[in-house]
Amino acid sequence: MIRNGIIQDLAILRRTKDGLVLGDEDGEVVLPLSERPQKNADGNTVRVFVHRDPEGRFLATAKVPRVQLGGFASLRVNSIDRHGAHMDWGLRPDLLVPHNEQRRPLEEGRWYVVRMAIDERTDRLFGSTRIEDHLDNDRLTVHEGDAVELVVYGRSDLGLAVVVNDLHQGLVHANEIFKHVSIGDRITGYVKRIRDDHKLDITLQPIGYRQYIDANTAMLARRIQGRGGFLPFSDKSSAEEIHAEFGISKKAFKKALGALYKDRLVRIEEAGVVWVG
């Protein structure tokens, strides 16, 4: 069965002057010869992405789009009209985010995290920036300690709002962030805690590698980032200077600095500490 919005293996039914006719007894779609598809090992099928053209006809392509049905990705707005925002997802036509699917009005040229959905009535693909409307924490499919795939879709004083495995909502608390992360990034995380209300606390460190982040390490990381990525202190600074600046002992400072260095988040230079995470 040909499925709209996903990458799938389709059987080669026949060859024509226009391309390869793919599908089964339930439907057909043409893959243009210009796509130069790579056959699967069995030689009888090819892997393609299927979507519909403006007239509703199926299109097949060997190109990989930036997002598939049910997935999330950071996309750029190519144009805006009365229908909504037209997003660059790597294929033509652009992916439409209707006005009623925009959490806030989108602006041309800017990037937004978008979920691809489908209109069950028309079988048309569309995008949505109403991210939390498409996430479900009532029926969790993850457990504490699991490695998960994250898409960062928001930032606040609390930390990073993330999509977990394209299904759930999670939060990376501010004191758990020890590297540069941008909205739209797809990164690996770990389920640190499942709260009684099914909210997910996510950490970017493997569980067991470091069960918690030392408070001094977190403070030092925030201080370096808050000073533009550089602090004129090192393990050679005097205990008096360190205590006056950070309110901790030199021993505690060296331990925190060592933890950041071990995680390859800082570079220690003669003049001070440089954030590289």
Side-chain angles (χ1 to χ4, degrees):
M1 180 179 178
I2 299 174
R3 297 178 60 193
N4 190 12
I6 66 169
I7 293 174
Q8 59 209 279
D9 294 328
L10 292 179
I12 301 172
L13 301 181
R14 59 187 181 277
R15 291 169 173 79
T16 71
K17 62 181 180 61
D18 297 319
L20 298 178
V21 179
L22 312 175
D24 53 29
E25 63 274 8
D26 294 324
E28 297 181 352
V29 60
V30 175
L31 176 68
L33 288 178
S34 60
E35 294 277 351
R36 292 186 181 3
Q38 184 173 3
K39 296 179 183 178
N40 290 338
D42 59 16
N44 299 317
T45 62
V46 292
R47 178 156 291 186
V48 294
F49 178 82
V50 176
H51 60 118
R52 292 188 183 275
D53 67 12
E55 285 71 47
R57 296 169 299 198
F58 272 136
L59 299 173
T61 177
K63 298 177 181 176
V64 178
R66 296 190 177 97
V67 63
Q68 295 187 58
L69 181 61
F72 298 78
S74 181
L75 305 179
R76 182 182 181 274
V77 180
N78 277 339
S79 63
I80 296 175
D81 60 19
R82 63 187 179 88
H83 300 292
H86 299 264
M87 316 297 290
D88 179 5
W89 63 310
L91 300 178
R92 292 292 183 181
D94 290 340
L95 179 68
L96 178 68
V97 177
H99 290 294
N100 63 355
E101 287 292 338
Q102 298 176 23
R103 187 166 181 263
R104 297 187 183 89
L106 305 190
E107 299 178 24
E108 187 173 331
R110 296 192 62 180
W111 293 76
Y112 299 89
V113 175
V114 174
R115 183 192 191 252
M116 179 187 279
I118 193 166
D119 185 325
E120 299 291 348
R121 182 178 58 86
T122 63
D123 198 44
R124 297 275 189 171
L125 300 172
F126 67 92
S128 175
T129 59
R130 304 176 71 89
I131 303 302
E132 293 170 6
D133 292 351
H134 299 280
L135 301 177
D136 179 12
N137 279 44
D138 291 333
R139 296 179 295 274
L140 293 177
T141 61
V142 297
H143 302 88
E144 290 185 359
D146 283 358
V148 290
E149 188 174 73
L150 309 175
V151 177
V152 181
Y153 72 92
R155 184 189 298 271
S156 69
D157 291 341
L158 294 177
L160 300 175
V162 294
V163 178
V164 180
N165 286 352
D166 287 343
L167 296 172
H168 311 306
Q169 180 184 4
L171 177 69
V172 182
H173 289 273
N175 63 355
E176 295 274 0
I177 303 170
F178 292 93
K179 61 181 179 181
H180 178 73
V181 180
S182 300
I183 304 298
D185 283 355
R186 184 174 288 273
I187 56 178
T188 298
Y190 304 85
V191 180
K192 183 176 181 180
R193 180 184 176 191
I194 299 177
R195 296 179 178 269
D196 292 339
D197 58 3
H198 282 204
K199 290 182 178 179
L200 300 177
D201 289 343
I202 305 297
T203 179
L204 303 184
Q205 296 283 2
I207 304 298
Y209 169 70
R210 182 179 295 168
Q211 293 291 345
Y212 61 90
I213 301 298
D214 178 82
N216 291 333
T217 305
M219 177 272 294
L220 184 57
R222 289 195 299 270
R223 191 72 66 87
I224 300 171
Q225 291 173 314
R227 298 282 186 85
F230 175 78
L231 274 181
F233 293 87
S234 70
D235 55 3
K236 295 181 180 179
S237 300
S238 70
E240 291 75 19
E241 290 174 322
I242 290 171
H243 189 272
E245 176 69 23
F246 305 105
I248 59 177
S249 68
K250 182 171 181 177
K251 181 179 179 180
F253 173 82
K254 291 177 65 174
K255 180 180 178 182
L257 182 60
L260 295 178
Y261 180 78
K262 181 179 179 181
D263 287 346
R264 300 180 181 178
L265 297 174
V266 298
R267 183 175 68 248
I268 302 174
E269 298 181 347
E270 191 71 27
V273 183
V274 179
W275 186 264
V276 296

PDB file of all heavy atoms in Angstrom, residues 36-48:
ATOM      1  N   ARG A  36      17.193   8.742 -10.875  1.00  0.00           N
ATOM      2  CA  ARG A  36      18.240   7.720 -10.839  1.00  0.00           C
ATOM      3  C   ARG A  36      18.194   6.936  -9.516  1.00  0.00           C
ATOM      4  O   ARG A  36      19.110   6.985  -8.703  1.00  0.00           O
ATOM      5  CB  ARG A  36      19.625   8.347 -10.993  1.00  0.00           C
ATOM      6  CG  ARG A  36      19.865   8.929 -12.354  1.00  0.00           C
ATOM      7  CD  ARG A  36      21.318   9.404 -12.473  1.00  0.00           C
ATOM      8  NE  ARG A  36      21.744  10.006 -13.665  1.00  0.00           N
ATOM      9  CZ  ARG A  36      21.418  10.396 -14.773  1.00  0.00           C
ATOM     10  NH1 ARG A  36      20.845  10.270 -14.814  1.00  0.00           N
ATOM     11  NH2 ARG A  36      21.755  10.925 -15.850  1.00  0.00           N
ATOM     12  N   PRO A  37      17.116   6.212  -9.288  1.00  0.00           N
ATOM     13  CA  PRO A  37      16.947   5.499  -8.009  1.00  0.00           C
ATOM     14  C   PRO A  37      17.941   4.363  -7.846  1.00  0.00           C
ATOM     15  O   PRO A  37      18.403   3.770  -8.823  1.00  0.00           O
ATOM     16  CB  PRO A  37      15.525   4.947  -8.106  1.00  0.00           C
ATOM     17  CG  PRO A  37      15.321   4.731  -9.574  1.00  0.00           C
ATOM     18  CD  PRO A  37      16.031   5.885 -10.233  1.00  0.00           C
ATOM     19  N   GLN A  38      18.281   4.080  -6.610  1.00  0.00           N
ATOM     20  CA  GLN A  38      19.135   2.939  -6.296  1.00  0.00           C
ATOM     21  C   GLN A  38      18.235   1.792  -5.842  1.00  0.00           C
ATOM     22  O   GLN A  38      17.493   1.911  -4.870  1.00  0.00           O
ATOM     23  CB  GLN A  38      20.128   3.283  -5.189  1.00  0.00           C
ATOM     24  CG  GLN A  38      21.099   2.152  -4.897  1.00  0.00           C
ATOM     25  CD  GLN A  38      22.179   2.571  -3.927  1.00  0.00           C
ATOM     26  OE1 GLN A  38      22.178   3.684  -3.422  1.00  0.00           O
ATOM     27  NE2 GLN A  38      23.120   1.683  -3.671  1.00  0.00           N
ATOM     28  N   LYS A  39      18.301   0.703  -6.562  1.00  0.00           N
ATOM     29  CA  LYS A  39      17.455  -0.438  -6.224  1.00  0.00           C
ATOM     30  C   LYS A  39      17.896  -1.065  -4.914  1.00  0.00           C
ATOM     31  O   LYS A  39      19.059  -0.984  -4.522  1.00  0.00           O
ATOM     32  CB  LYS A  39      17.509  -1.497  -7.339  1.00  0.00           C
ATOM     33  CG  LYS A  39      16.956  -1.037  -8.676  1.00  0.00           C
ATOM     34  CD  LYS A  39      17.081  -2.145  -9.711  1.00  0.00           C
ATOM     35  CE  LYS A  39      16.615  -1.682 -11.074  1.00  0.00           C
ATOM     36  NZ  LYS A  39      16.767  -2.743 -12.107  1.00  0.00           N
ATOM     37  N   ASN A  40      16.943  -1.698  -4.242  1.00  0.00           N
ATOM     38  CA  ASN A  40      17.277  -2.471  -3.056  1.00  0.00           C
ATOM     39  C   ASN A  40      17.978  -3.760  -3.467  1.00  0.00           C
ATOM     40  O   ASN A  40      18.067  -4.102  -4.645  1.00  0.00           O
ATOM     41  CB  ASN A  40      16.016  -2.766  -2.250  1.00  0.00           C
ATOM     42  CG  ASN A  40      15.464  -1.509  -1.601  1.00  0.00           C
ATOM     43  OD1 ASN A  40      16.188  -0.545  -1.399  1.00  0.00           O
ATOM     44  ND2 ASN A  40      14.184  -1.522  -1.293  1.00  0.00           N
ATOM     45  N   ALA A  41      18.455  -4.484  -2.473  1.00  0.00           N
ATOM     46  CA  ALA A  41      19.261  -5.680  -2.736  1.00  0.00           C
ATOM     47  C   ALA A  41      18.512  -6.696  -3.597  1.00  0.00           C
ATOM     48  O   ALA A  41      19.112  -7.403  -4.405  1.00  0.00           O
ATOM     49  CB  ALA A  41      19.695  -6.308  -1.417  1.00  0.00           C
ATOM     50  N   ASP A  42      17.175  -6.772  -3.432  1.00  0.00           N
ATOM     51  CA  ASP A  42      16.430  -7.774  -4.198  1.00  0.00           C
ATOM     52  C   ASP A  42      16.249  -7.361  -5.658  1.00  0.00           C
ATOM     53  O   ASP A  42      15.839  -8.166  -6.496  1.00  0.00           O
ATOM     54  CB  ASP A  42      15.066  -8.041  -3.563  1.00  0.00           C
ATOM     55  CG  ASP A  42      14.186  -6.795  -3.462  1.00  0.00           C
ATOM     56  OD1 ASP A  42      14.497  -5.802  -4.144  1.00  0.00           O
ATOM     57  OD2 ASP A  42      13.195  -6.816  -2.715  1.00  0.00           O
ATOM     58  N   GLY A  43      16.541  -6.116  -5.993  1.00  0.00           N
ATOM     59  CA  GLY A  43      16.449  -5.656  -7.365  1.00  0.00           C
ATOM     60  C   GLY A  43      15.051  -5.391  -7.853  1.00  0.00           C
ATOM     61  O   GLY A  43      14.856  -4.895  -8.966  1.00  0.00           O
ATOM     62  N   ASN A  44      14.049  -5.688  -7.035  1.00  0.00           N
ATOM     63  CA  ASN A  44      12.661  -5.551  -7.456  1.00  0.00           C
ATOM     64  C   ASN A  44      11.934  -4.391  -6.781  1.00  0.00           C
ATOM     65  O   ASN A  44      10.783  -4.117  -7.101  1.00  0.00           O
ATOM     66  CB  ASN A  44      11.890  -6.847  -7.161  1.00  0.00           C
ATOM     67  CG  ASN A  44      12.465  -8.025  -7.918  1.00  0.00           C
ATOM     68  OD1 ASN A  44      12.791  -7.923  -9.099  1.00  0.00           O
ATOM     69  ND2 ASN A  44      12.609  -9.149  -7.229  1.00  0.00           N
ATOM     70  N   THR A  45      12.599  -3.742  -5.845  1.00  0.00           N
ATOM     71  CA  THR A  45      11.982  -2.627  -5.134  1.00  0.00           C
ATOM     72  C   THR A  45      12.958  -1.457  -5.046  1.00  0.00           C
ATOM     73  O   THR A  45      14.172  -1.640  -5.180  1.00  0.00           O
ATOM     74  CB  THR A  45      11.555  -3.024  -3.709  1.00  0.00           C
ATOM     75  OG1 THR A  45      12.716  -3.404  -2.961  1.00  0.00           O
ATOM     76  CG2 THR A  45      10.554  -4.169  -3.720  1.00  0.00           C
ATOM     77  N   VAL A  46      12.411  -0.264  -4.829  1.00  0.00           N
ATOM     78  CA  VAL A  46      13.232   0.919  -4.603  1.00  0.00           C
ATOM     79  C   VAL A  46      12.674   1.647  -3.385  1.00  0.00           C
ATOM     80  O   VAL A  46      11.485   1.551  -3.067  1.00  0.00           O
ATOM     81  CB  VAL A  46      13.252   1.871  -5.816  1.00  0.00           C
ATOM     82  CG1 VAL A  46      13.991   1.245  -6.979  1.00  0.00           C
ATOM     83  CG2 VAL A  46      11.849   2.275  -6.219  1.00  0.00           C
ATOM     84  N   ARG A  47      13.550   2.381  -2.717  1.00  0.00           N
ATOM     85  CA  ARG A  47      13.144   3.151  -1.531  1.00  0.00           C
ATOM     86  C   ARG A  47      12.866   4.586  -1.957  1.00  0.00           C
ATOM     87  O   ARG A  47      13.740   5.256  -2.515  1.00  0.00           O
ATOM     88  CB  ARG A  47      14.229   3.100  -0.470  1.00  0.00           C
ATOM     89  CG  ARG A  47      13.912   3.903   0.780  1.00  0.00           C
ATOM     90  CD  ARG A  47      14.676   3.378   1.963  1.00  0.00           C
ATOM     91  NE  ARG A  47      14.183   2.054   2.342  1.00  0.00           N
ATOM     92  CZ  ARG A  47      14.587   1.381   3.415  1.00  0.00           C
ATOM     93  NH1 ARG A  47      15.484   1.921   4.224  1.00  0.00           N
ATOM     94  NH2 ARG A  47      14.098   0.191   3.685  1.00  0.00           N
ATOM     95  N   VAL A  48      11.659   5.048  -1.697  1.00  0.00           N
ATOM     96  CA  VAL A  48      11.249   6.382  -2.128  1.00  0.00           C
ATOM     97  C   VAL A  48      10.423   7.060  -1.034  1.00  0.00           C
ATOM     98  O   VAL A  48       9.921   6.415  -0.107  1.00  0.00           O
ATOM     99  CB  VAL A  48      10.397   6.317  -3.421  1.00  0.00           C
ATOM    100  CG1 VAL A  48      11.224   5.829  -4.589  1.00  0.00           C
ATOM    101  CG2 VAL A  48       9.159   5.445  -3.213  1.00  0.00           C
TER     102      VAL A  48
END
